[in-house]
Amino acid sequence: SPLEQFEIRDLLGLTSPMMDFSFINITNFGLYTMITLLVILTMNLMTNNYNKLVGSNWYLSQEMIYDTIMNMVKTQIGGKVWGYYFPLVYTFFITIFTMNLISMIPYSFAMTSHVVFVVSMSMIIWLGTTIIGFYTHGLKFFGLFLPTGTPLILVPLLVSIELLSYFARTISLGLRLSANIMAGHLLIVILGGLLFNLMAMNILTFLLGFLPMIAILGIVCLEFAITIIQAYVWCILMSSYLKDTIYLH
Amino acid sequence: MSTPAPQDPKSKAAAILDSLPGSTALSKTGILATSAAAAIYAISNELYVLNAETILLCTFTGFSFLIAKLVAPAYKEYADKRMQHVSGILNSSRNKHVAAVKERIESVSELKNVTETTKVLFEVSKETLELEAKAFELKQKVDLATEAKAVLDSWVRYEASVRQLQQKQIAESVIGKVQAELANPKFQDKVLQQSVADVEKLFASLK
């Protein structure tokens, strides 16, 4: 089944007749989380050109990512406080970006396609921004749900709509990412499966199969673009939510 | 659009052979044969299972190849340019710093005999002060002498005027006495007689 690729499997675990140790099992999800951490650390620590003043060519890529996210956060949040939230946004970006790229390698595992994981992250962000809002503005934070200049008669309607859209952010932020990644991976695997069946039929179909393979290659390129764009979109929305709570309207 | 120049098949084949690891034709053939045998062995013994992921492996390999052929050179060019730019800025600032330090050293080295100059200047200023003191002393002396001369001159003038006055008084008294004497008849007679006697004597001498 194309959905097999998303299964979480135990790779290493402890069994005991006394107690259930399954909560410390190392799963493929745990393994890929560690791989992600390793890749991020490697990209940041091993590319500094032996601590020389000018980094290596790999280091430049990290610098470019840093610069892009910094400019985005500066534009989105602005003001004087954008710098407080930049490390958080950058950490989210580099984590999701690396996870997405790792998931594109064949035989690997797509962590960001797991709704429970990604929506948990988006919920944490939503909760954090709400706490920041109440901490900064107190009860005036509720002003976020009422656009200025609203006629009195429309106030209940608009407040309920705004409240709904505010709560919907919890799900929408995470769902957008995981749905995109899941859809992309499913599409590639389904197309791959179809092509494999076609090519396995006989020598003629095997040779003909190379044509649609080029189309799949195009879709893979597109998927790579989506993985990068989704990580960026996550950070843009996160910054926008932060801006909303910091400055209200 | 211009059509690309046709490539020599021999050189193309040679390029593919060159890209294989190993230095001799034998080792290249060995590597090819070994990898083909290993692939066949792995597939036949189900060490490697051909399935849908194999297609994805092929597409991923193709994607990696595209990246390596198209994106990587462009990125390398950009990165080299960027590194050169950064290195250029660092080197130029280092050179500027070296130049500034050199300039500072030169400007300081110009002041290396400042102690001697200061000593000489101090000596000169001391001498100037001494000369000024001496000049002041001399000026005081001159002033004193001028004042003394003025006093003495006034004394001289006073004495001269006093003397002149006294002489005038003496002359006046003498003239007054003489006139009083002349007014005396006895004296007039005596002078007359004397004069007559002198005239007679003169006449007598003439005879």
Side-chain angles (χ1 to χ4, degrees), chain A residues 229-240:
Chain A
I229 290 166
Q230 283 306 316
Y232 189 70
V233 166
W234 174 287
C235 294
I236 285 188
L237 289 171
M238 188 180 163
S239 307
S240 149

Side-chain angles (χ1 to χ4, degrees), chain A residues 152-191:
Chain A
L152 197 61
I153 196 153
L154 287 176
V155 167
L157 184 68
L158 268 176
V159 166
S160 42
I161 290 171
E162 286 282 333
L163 206 63
L164 196 67
S165 88
Y166 188 76
F167 275 93
R169 287 173 178 183
T170 326
I171 308 291
S172 68
L173 182 65
L175 206 61
R176 182 181 296 108
L177 173 65
S178 66
N180 269 289
I181 300 301
M182 195 189 278
H185 280 75
L186 276 176
L187 180 69
I188 292 173
V189 170
I190 290 168
L191 288 176

Side-chain angles (χ1 to χ4, degrees), chain A residues 123-143:
Chain A
M123 210 174 265
I124 289 165
I125 291 169
W126 179 85
L127 201 63
T129 50
T130 311
I131 291 168
I132 289 169
F134 277 115
Y135 180 77
T136 317
H137 304 290
L139 288 176
K140 282 180 187 170
F141 176 67
F142 286 111

Side-chain angles (χ1 to χ4, degrees), chain A residues 53-58 60-61 63-64 104-107 188-189 192-193 195-196 199 213 216-217 220-221 224, chain B residues 48-60 62-63 66 75-76 78-80 82-83 86-87 90:
Chain A
L53 206 54
V54 181
S56 65
N57 283 2
W58 283 101
L60 187 65
S61 68
E63 232 173 51
M64 280 160 69
M104 287 305 292
I105 299 169
Y107 300 104
I188 292 173
V189 170
L195 189 62
F196 179 75
M199 289 174 93
M213 198 184 275
I216 296 179
L217 180 63
V220 166
C221 293
F224 267 99
Chain B
Y48 180 76
V49 182
L50 285 173
N51 58 10
E53 285 281 341
T54 312
I55 303 289
L56 299 185
L57 187 64
C58 292
T59 53
F60 182 78
F63 178 77
L66 281 178
Y75 176 76
K76 193 179 179 321
Y78 164 76
D80 286 346
R82 175 83 190 150
M83 291 304 172
V86 173
S87 303
L90 289 172

Side-chain angles (χ1 to χ4, degrees), chain A:
Chain A
S1 158
L3 287 170
E4 255 176 65
Q5 58 173 324
F6 303 118
E7 266 178 33
I8 294 177
R9 295 190 191 89
D10 288 337
L11 300 178
L12 205 67
L14 279 176
T15 47
S16 160
M18 309 294 288
M19 188 180 163
D20 180 20
F21 281 111
S22 64
F23 62 92
I24 56 163
N25 279 2
I26 293 181
T27 59
N28 51 357
F29 194 97
L31 176 71
Y32 277 92
T33 313
M34 283 186 269
I35 290 173
T36 306
L37 178 67
L38 200 69
V39 169
I40 294 170
L41 283 178
T42 307
M43 288 303 285
N44 279 281
L45 300 176
M46 304 284 277
T47 57
N48 61 359
N49 208 6
Y50 304 102
N51 281 328
K52 282 181 190 162
L53 206 54
V54 181
S56 65
N57 283 2
W58 283 101
Y59 190 74
L60 187 65
S61 68
Q62 298 299 301
E63 232 173 51
M64 280 160 69
I65 294 171
Y66 185 93
D67 203 39
T68 311
I69 301 301
M70 192 175 75
N71 284 331
M72 188 272 287
V73 173
K74 208 188 280 185
T75 319
Q76 283 289 323
I77 300 178
K80 287 177 183 171
V81 294
W82 66 270
Y84 300 152
Y85 302 102
F86 167 64
L88 179 73
V89 180
Y90 179 75
T91 310
F92 265 105
F93 178 81
I94 205 74
T95 310
I96 295 169
F97 178 72
T98 314
M99 281 177 172
N100 284 352
L101 284 186
I102 287 173
S103 75
M104 287 305 292
I105 299 169
Y107 300 104
S108 73
F109 179 74
M111 278 172 286
T112 43
S113 67
H114 284 267
V115 180
V116 66
F117 168 58
V118 183
V119 170
S120 303
M121 284 205 298
S122 70
M123 210 174 265
I124 289 165
I125 291 169
W126 179 85
L127 201 63
T129 50
T130 311
I131 291 168
I132 289 169
F134 277 115
Y135 180 77
T136 317
H137 304 290
L139 288 176
K140 282 180 187 170
F141 176 67
F142 286 111
L144 181 67
F145 304 117
L146 189 66
T148 45
T150 312
L152 197 61
I153 196 153
L154 287 176
V155 167
L157 184 68
L158 268 176
V159 166
S160 42
I161 290 171
E162 286 282 333
L163 206 63
L164 196 67
S165 88
Y166 188 76
F167 275 93
R169 287 173 178 183
T170 326
I171 308 291
S172 68
L173 182 65
L175 206 61
R176 182 181 296 108
L177 173 65
S178 66
N180 269 289
I181 300 301
M182 195 189 278
H185 280 75
L186 276 176
L187 180 69
I188 292 173
V189 170
I190 290 168
L191 288 176
L194 286 175
L195 189 62
F196 179 75
N197 290 337
L198 177 76
M199 289 174 93
M201 282 164 75
N202 55 48
I203 189 76
L204 183 71
T205 54
F206 177 77
L207 292 174
L208 278 175
F210 282 98
L211 280 173
M213 198 184 275
I214 294 168
I216 296 179
L217 180 63
I219 292 170
V220 166
C221 293
L222 204 68
E223 271 312 307
F224 267 99
I226 287 171
T227 55
I228 297 166
I229 290 166
Q230 283 306 316
Y232 189 70
V233 166
W234 174 287
C235 294
I236 285 188
L237 289 171
M238 188 180 163
S239 307
S240 149
Y241 298 163
L242 279 167
K243 190 188 98 183
D244 276 354
T245 47
I246 294 164
Y247 302 115
L248 294 182
H249 279 296

Side-chain angles (χ1 to χ4, degrees), chain B residues 102-204:
Chain B
K102 272 184 185 167
E103 201 178 307
R104 176 79 186 135
I105 289 169
E106 275 169 19
S107 67
V108 169
S109 68
E110 278 172 12
L111 301 172
K112 65 184 174 188
N113 51 2
V114 70
T115 321
E116 292 299 315
T117 315
T118 315
K119 275 180 186 170
V120 170
L121 279 174
F122 180 67
E123 288 299 322
V124 168
S125 67
K126 214 159 83 174
E127 208 172 309
T128 313
L129 272 177
E130 278 170 7
L131 286 173
E132 273 179 2
K134 209 174 272 180
F136 182 71
E137 198 182 318
L138 288 172
K139 193 171 169 278
Q140 293 285 83
K141 279 181 182 170
V142 167
D143 284 352
L144 186 68
T146 313
E147 203 172 326
K149 188 175 172 286
V151 171
L152 288 173
D153 280 352
S154 71
W155 267 105
V156 167
R157 278 197 301 275
Y158 175 71
E159 288 292 331
S161 67
V162 167
R163 201 175 298 123
Q164 201 178 355
L165 194 66
Q166 282 175 346
Q167 280 173 352
K168 197 181 171 186
Q169 282 174 348
I170 291 166
E172 277 173 1
S173 69
V174 167
I175 289 166
K177 276 178 184 174
V178 169
Q179 279 176 347
E181 197 67 32
L182 284 174
N184 192 358
K186 281 179 184 176
F187 185 72
Q188 284 176 357
D189 282 344
K190 197 181 167 184
V191 170
L192 193 61
Q193 282 170 8
Q194 183 74 37
S195 304
V196 170
D198 284 345
V199 171
E200 279 174 355
K201 208 182 275 178
L202 195 62
F203 274 111

